[in-house]
Amino acid sequence: MTSSLISSRNTPAKAPDLLANASAEFAAKLAETQALVRRAAAEYAPVTQASSLGAEDVVITHLINSLQLDIPVFVLETGALHTETLALLERTQAHSHALIRVFKPEQDSVIQFVRNKGQDAIFKSVELRKECCGIRKMAPLARALKGQKAWITGLRQEQSTARAEVPLQDDSEVATKGLHKFNPLAQWTWGDVWHYIAENQVDYNPLHDQFFPSIGCAPCTRAISLGEAFRAGRWWWEEETAKECGLHVKT
Ligand code: SF4
């Protein structure tokens, strides 16, 4: 590890120390984000935030709380999250003014999947991995979004080539799903996200300090190395094009 990654107290530097780096347009982007989230609350209720408790999502929850907006937050507790993520969930539930709703998979479905397909099924094929995501994520997501008019996500254009065109407001699934989707951080850089976290001392998942930029379920997430793509640590054994769990895949 180089000296730049070591703090003055000779302890490993934290993610905000390493990553906070506001872009030149940050103030304008923040103002646009705040206006968008306010508009979502005012004009698209009932609206909810989908939170994985990753860096982008803790920023959005912090914005919702600081703007005192009536936007509940939901977390998909898949039963396979890291202990660090579960601990952050507990802290968020304790301190957030916005309601934090937790959605879990049907236990019978999980048990049947493991019993019939095996403990390591997710590593055997993309289809089996997506079946697991369907049980642990997609089915709870459908319950979380039931009755909602809109949802808010932490998608950013920078995260992957598949997300390079993510708009601030996505109305493309209103006809099929009846849902508007807001991506208020679409144009934020990774440095912008961490600048906001550092400036506002937002609580975050300590796995980010261990080079996990994108955090999902424990069996399917690893740290990345210098030079690797942002989502390289997600389903790392699969081809790049397969790497979505379905939450943000258009039908
Ligand atoms: S990310 Fe992995 S453990 Fe989590 S639901 Fe998808 S396949 Fe299952």
Side-chain angles (χ1 to χ4, degrees):
M1 191 175 284
T2 65
S3 59
S4 65
L5 300 184
I6 306 291
S7 75
S8 56
R9 287 169 297 168
N10 210 28
T11 54
K14 303 282 190 187
D17 303 328
L18 296 171
L19 300 168
N21 181 22
S23 55
E25 315 79 28
F26 177 74
K29 284 191 248 183
L30 177 58
E32 185 176 42
T33 295
Q34 290 169 326
L36 185 65
V37 179
R38 275 200 185 98
R39 190 163 64 79
E43 299 176 19
Y44 292 85
V47 53
T48 184
Q49 185 208 346
S51 175
S52 68
L53 299 163
E56 291 90 349
D57 295 328
V58 297
V59 166
I60 295 172
T61 302
H62 186 273
L63 279 165
I64 289 169
N65 281 324
S66 59
L67 296 172
Q68 300 188 331
L69 298 175
D70 184 18
I71 301 179
V73 180
F74 73 87
V75 174
L76 303 180
E77 206 287 72
T78 63
L81 299 179
H82 298 84
T83 52
E84 291 88 343
T85 308
L86 293 172
L88 177 57
L89 173 57
E90 271 191 29
R91 296 197 300 277
T92 306
Q93 285 178 305
H95 297 120
S96 170
H97 294 294
L99 176 67
I100 307 293
R101 300 186 302 155
V102 175
F103 289 84
K104 298 184 178 185
E106 296 289 345
Q107 269 312 102
D108 280 355
S109 303
V110 173
I111 290 167
Q112 288 301 323
F113 177 77
V114 173
R115 183 176 293 159
N116 295 334
K117 308 290 169 60
Q119 196 74 44
D120 59 349
I122 59 176
F123 302 108
K124 291 180 184 164
S125 72
V126 173
E127 288 68 31
L128 285 172
R129 193 274 292 168
K130 287 188 173 174
E131 193 174 331
C132 181
C133 285
I135 293 166
R136 291 184 185 269
K137 290 185 173 181
M138 297 304 292
L141 176 71
R143 278 186 270 126
L145 293 178
K146 196 160 189 244
Q148 299 295 317
K149 186 171 178 183
W151 58 316
I152 299 173
T153 84
L155 294 184
R156 291 184 303 110
Q157 295 167 353
E158 219 186 40
Q159 287 168 336
S160 69
T161 47
R163 297 181 179 183
E165 308 285 327
V166 162
L168 288 166
Q169 179 171 346
D170 184 351
D171 295 331
S172 64
E173 297 194 325
V174 174
T176 52
K177 296 182 181 171
L179 274 172
H180 301 267
K181 187 173 182 179
F182 292 93
N183 309 301
L185 306 190
Q187 293 162 358
W188 286 37
T189 64
W190 194 219
D192 288 336
V193 171
W194 284 98
H195 173 71
Y196 185 95
I197 288 172
E199 285 284 293
N200 296 281
Q201 299 189 352
V202 181
D203 193 6
Y204 64 89
N205 193 327
L207 288 172
H208 287 302
D209 296 331
Q210 299 168 39
F211 304 99
F212 286 70
S214 175
I215 304 167
C217 295
C220 300
T221 310
R222 66 159 170 77
I224 65 168
S225 304
L226 274 178
E228 280 196 299
F230 187 85
R231 283 171 65 81
R234 302 292 295 277
W235 307 294
W236 65 92
W237 64 94
E238 292 183 0
E239 292 291 323
E240 188 64 33
T241 50
K243 287 185 170 189
E244 292 285 350
C245 58
L247 264 66
H248 303 296
V249 175
K250 290 183 190 292
T251 50

